[in-house]
Amino acid sequence: MTELHKLKHRLVFTCFSLAYAIAFFGADTAVAREEVFIDATESSGLDFVHFNGMSGEFYFPEMMGGGVALFDYDNDGDLDVYLVQGHMLGKGKSLEDATYPPKPGTPLTDRLFRNDLKRGGDDDRLTFTDVTEPSGIRAAGYGMGVATGDYDNDGDVDIYVTNFGPNQLWRNEGDGTFVDVTDQAGVDDPRWSVSASFVDYDRDGLLDLYVGSYVIYELETARRCRNPTSIPDYCGPHAFKPESDMLFRNLGNGRFEDVSEKSGIGKEPGPGLGISVADFNGDSFVDLFVANDGVANFLWMNDGKGSFIDDGLLAGVAVNRSGMSEASMGVDAADFDGDGDEDLFMTHLVRETNTLYVNDGTGWFEDQTSETGLANASVPFTGFGAGFIDFDNDGWLDIFSVNGGVTLFESESWASKDDPWPLHRPNQLFRNEDGRFQDVSETAGKALAASHVSRGAAFGDIDNDGDIDVVVGNNSGPVQLLINNAGAENAWLGLRLMTRGCQRDAVGARASVKLAGGKTLWRRARSDGSYGSANDPRVLLGLGKAHGEREVLVAWTDGSQERWPALASGSYHRLCEGGGEKVSGDRN
Amino acid sequence: MKLKRICLPLLASLFLLHPLAGLAADEAVLVEVPYPDVEELDPRVRRIVEPAIDYFKRMQPVLSDVELGRAYGRMGLVFQAFRMQEAAGASHRNAMALDPTNPRWHYFVAIYSEETGNLEGALALYRTVLAMAPDYPNTLLRIGRVSLEAGKLADASEAFEALLEKQPDLAAPALAGLGTIALQEKRLEEGVDLLERALVLQPQATQLHYRLAQAYRQLGDTDKAREHLEKRGDRIAWAPDPWVEEMKARARHPSYYVQQGIEAVKQGEMERAAMHLDLALALDPENVEALTRMAVLIGLNARREDAEYLISQALRLDPDHGLANSLQGALLAERRQFKEAQAFYFRAVNAEPENFEFRVQFANGLMRLNDFEAAAQQYAEALRLEPENASTRYGHAVALTLGGNCAAALQTIERGVQANPRVALTLNARARLYATCPDANESQRRLALEDAQLLYDQRPNGNHAETVAMAMAANGRFDEAMDYQGQAIFEAIKNGDTAAQQGMRENMQRYEARSLASAAWPELVSQ
């Protein structure tokens, strides 16, 4: 039995019955083919239930939170989990007023869980330990999302937490503890924000910070809404004035400068939710995509001189093919069609499709949702977190999107009259079959059939076995840890792309591998995307049946390229800028 | 308060996978209707929904299958009108099962399927409708549109072609559909041609500009692409659906609640007005009338930012909406962005040329920009609509005077005084004009003094003191003019009216020099 199989055997053994586990991993059983993801939440000890503080008042923020981060805070080589938490909402409200009070003693602050993964021995196991208290993190705001990145280039990943209220920057001290440096860094943003992204937009080697802002909402004075049947319900974003986003430039001395106005970002308000940063037009400067809820999305094109221009409309990503603004929630960017550029996928409201915008290589896109088979299957769902992941390592990027409604009105069609929290919906998995997607959710097993009010979703190889696992943040519900059981069929190659001197993850750098038949895979190191969540920054390339050594080409964020001629598949490699063979004719 | 749900889930969606299954009454399987919890409904909605349910329940035991089907259908229309989708879907499905030869119920179940994302079910039902009644209104258009959404381009194309042939009055949406298909199939020039033809037929279908922009971009003509992006909007090429209109008529239309809101405002019942407007917005979140009226309401509550946002929403939906433009202009004027405000006032007037308030607002804006001639024209237009409005008459006279046409100003103010001989505003204006216009004769100057003194006796304020001073000077009584002018200046200082003081002091100097006042409204001239 391989290490991989031992680990999975152990996982399942602790999670389900022995008989089930045998059936699960037995060669070519029907069950083995069906269970793409295994819910390992309970067995791994990832014990967290989100509390949204609702009390029947239909406060808008209460159904929006639930971000998740996957990051290696202790540099031990495996992914730890950060989960945002809510608290009671409303002046004078106490936990006694809560529709769903938390379990007595539940700390209503964000939580950090350390991954205590053990591999390579007889006792392979995946377990998590709540290390919030020893880590020093006291994040008591009304949590929405989280972004990760090593902003001070000290080799440890820091955290930026977005809230309905002031945000917080937690600096990783490298000894397992964090310090709140929000004020001294100058990145306090009191507005309602959901997603943020660490991004080196000016290519000075320092991670800057983009913070997406949503709408202006005051709990006590906010407009109350009724749905078309005239009963009280949650408002949509159009009921409130949108906020402008913020861009903070990293000065390198532990402080950031607010360049929102100067850069042009702050001039256009929009109810921003998901953020994805990538070089969309191939000019080696990273651009910023912001998924706006119910109005035109932003595509902030970087001019390389510190300014951004929103080119979303002409570029074809602001509104859908029909010219209609959609309620964009989550977003991810990746080269799903293997043509070398970054395409965009975003999730939307029920009765809208999720939308796939295909890049023509110049930063201009075309809505090809229908052509790629993604339209129909998404119409009955309101989607939030999403990611391009090659779940079966066949070399084609698939899509995992998590769902959950936003109004009682829309939930009429699926929830029962007595359902106390009726916004819940099952999540979805779309398999990429030569550029066309098939909804395989119904055959993907029990874990995907579970129905929650899902919001955040973070993607990464949590058990370090070479395939992408998922952590789903559920609003007013338990977190879900979904361990991938399908990737082992195929070969894979894992890369940790790092900046010069191996200082930190080189987010934005791209790695490529050529497969037989001339197909080239391009994958970007990124932690942003999805909804209020942070992903594993490592790059995982599914190679299909192409086992053995592969040549890897890396395009760094400054446009230079390097080559590593022979990297073994089936394992992770750390590639630092300057450590490969320089490729002549690169762009810079 | 615990969250409560108002409807049960339906088995209906399962049924819709086999939409023809309910064609025969004897095979009919009825589904449970998830009646709304009427206790939860707003009282005004409850007043309509509850009797519909009660009536149905009373009649249910005594009706034959077909009649029962129709009763289900009629109740479904009420549910649908209030977007109680699941209750409507179940009612219409039962209607379809019990009254299977009536295409109407199939049509409504198809709409339900379409709205709940079951595109395949919707298409099958629309085709059933066509099989039963080949000319059933809007069905071909819906088949085309839903097929397009489902990515079935050939089916969509066939439906739009048939629509074009059978119903020339629906050519715009048919051409728009065919154009969209052409673009998807990369027949770009053909797509552009089709969409432009659709736009000629329905210029208000502003959404087509976006598709054209994308097409021109792909053709490499970015200038034209940008031109179309500038014109893009949210209005689709569409046709009125008589069946949906009928359905809406079963309930109070949002406009009913808007009207109730307006009435409540007139009666000063702001809270009640807000409730009505909220309900209108609940029924139709994009009801521009409700958005703008709500903006006025919350603007009155000093929530300027919220009001501004609602107005921007309204303008997004209807850039030519009169009240929305008027309000946007007022907001800009409040921020002293007069020039920008004027563009919105202009649009408001264009949208509703017979709206008196918009005319006056536009004219006042022109005055602020010192375009007196144009302002005078607009005041004249407003007076055409309300000839007896004293303040507009006053504005007209002021505009004509500042535009250098004192004789015309006198004419208009004379008409105002004739219409309302006791209105201080026009009497005061006439006195000033008689006192300062070079064309005024001696008896008019004497009349000016009489009127001015009468006004001053009744209301001894700075404004009237200044008028008396002008009239005194006009009648050669400069010492008394200086006394009154001194009083007027004192009042202006007391009121902190620094703008007026400069013109007053200049006139004081003129009286000292035994000269007439420089102008009837010196403060406006000196600005």
Side-chain angles (χ1 to χ4, degrees), chain B residues 128-326:
Chain B
T128 306
V129 171
L130 271 193
M132 295 163 89
D135 295 323
Y136 206 76
N138 273 47
T139 312
L140 271 173
L141 178 55
R142 284 187 178 268
I143 288 175
R145 198 172 56 76
V146 176
S147 298
L148 189 55
E149 195 177 343
K152 297 181 168 185
L153 300 191
D155 291 352
S157 187
E158 192 183 326
F160 287 130
E161 292 283 5
L163 182 66
L164 202 55
E165 192 185 315
K166 282 186 166 183
Q167 286 181 267
D169 55 319
L170 297 185
L175 288 168
L178 289 168
T180 304
I181 293 166
L183 295 187
Q184 269 181 250
E185 293 177 343
K186 300 292 173 206
R187 292 177 282 121
L188 298 178
E189 284 92 351
E190 189 186 340
V192 165
D193 177 55
L194 288 161
L195 293 177
E196 286 184 338
R197 281 166 59 196
L199 255 179
V200 169
L201 294 170
Q202 241 182 57
Q204 69 272 29
T206 50
Q207 199 190 60
L208 296 179
H209 287 294
Y210 181 75
R211 294 183 202 183
L212 279 165
Q214 293 300 314
Y216 276 117
R217 191 200 72 181
Q218 289 179 50
L219 286 165
D221 190 343
T222 47
D223 289 341
K224 247 192 160 151
R226 285 186 200 281
E227 263 175 44
H228 280 286
L229 283 179
E230 288 291 317
K231 295 178 195 162
R232 68 175 270 274
D234 289 342
R235 290 191 198 172
I236 60 172
W238 193 237
D241 187 324
W243 307 112
V244 172
E245 292 306 314
E246 185 195 327
M247 178 184 71
K248 281 184 181 169
R250 298 280 166 155
R252 300 285 195 199
H253 193 267
S255 58
Y256 167 80
Y257 295 107
V258 173
Q259 200 49 45
Q260 293 291 306
I262 293 169
E263 290 303 318
V265 169
K266 282 183 189 161
Q267 289 160 23
E269 297 180 45
M270 301 307 178
E271 197 57 36
R272 192 164 66 85
M275 285 286 286
H276 282 296
L277 293 173
D278 263 336
L279 195 54
L281 285 171
L283 289 168
D284 178 8
E286 300 200 329
N287 187 306
V288 175
E289 204 59 36
L291 282 168
T292 48
R293 299 287 171 177
M294 185 63 107
V296 173
L297 261 193
I298 63 177
L300 287 174
N301 287 334
R303 285 162 55 197
R304 285 286 194 279
E305 283 205 341
D306 290 346
E308 195 178 335
Y309 181 60
L310 288 177
I311 294 163
S312 71
Q313 290 299 302
L315 284 174
R316 180 180 64 80
L317 294 161
D318 184 359
D320 300 323
H321 190 267
L323 181 57
N325 276 294
S326 160

Side-chain angles (χ1 to χ4, degrees), chain A residues 240 315 324 351 366 417, chain B residues 5 115 186 207 217 309:
Chain A
F240 308 103
M324 296 297 284
R351 283 165 218 159
E366 190 181 345
K417 190 173 183 178
Chain B
R5 303 285 305 106
E115 290 186 347
K186 300 292 173 206
Q207 199 190 60
R217 191 200 72 181
Y309 181 60

Side-chain angles (χ1 to χ4, degrees), chain A residues 99 228-230 238 240 242 313-315 320-322 324 351 365-366 376 409 412-413 416-417 422, chain B residues 2 5 7 9 40-42 82-83 85-86 115 117 119 184 186 207 210 214 217 222 226 282 309 313:
Chain A
T99 307
T229 68
S230 86
H238 289 305
F240 308 103
L313 269 175
L314 188 63
N320 69 11
R321 167 182 271 148
S322 304
M324 296 297 284
R351 283 165 218 159
F365 295 76
E366 190 181 345
N376 273 4
F409 177 61
E412 264 187 32
S413 60
S416 77
K417 190 173 183 178
Chain B
K2 299 277 182 192
R5 303 285 305 106
C7 291
E40 288 272 321
L41 299 177
D42 181 276
F82 286 100
R83 294 179 64 187
Q85 217 156 29
E86 296 310 305
E115 290 186 347
L119 303 184
Q184 269 181 250
K186 300 292 173 206
Q207 199 190 60
Y210 181 75
Q214 293 300 314
R217 191 200 72 181
T222 47
R226 285 186 200 281
Y309 181 60
Q313 290 299 302

Side-chain angles (χ1 to χ4, degrees), chain B residues 48-57 75 78:
Chain B
I48 299 160
V49 173
E50 196 168 26
I53 298 171
D54 289 347
Y55 178 76
F56 173 79
K57 286 183 175 170
M75 182 171 65
V78 174

Side-chain angles (χ1 to χ4, degrees), chain A residues 22-36:
Chain A
I22 291 167
F24 204 93
F25 289 112
D28 286 331
T29 64
V31 177
R33 282 196 297 273
E34 286 171 5
E35 298 286 335
V36 175

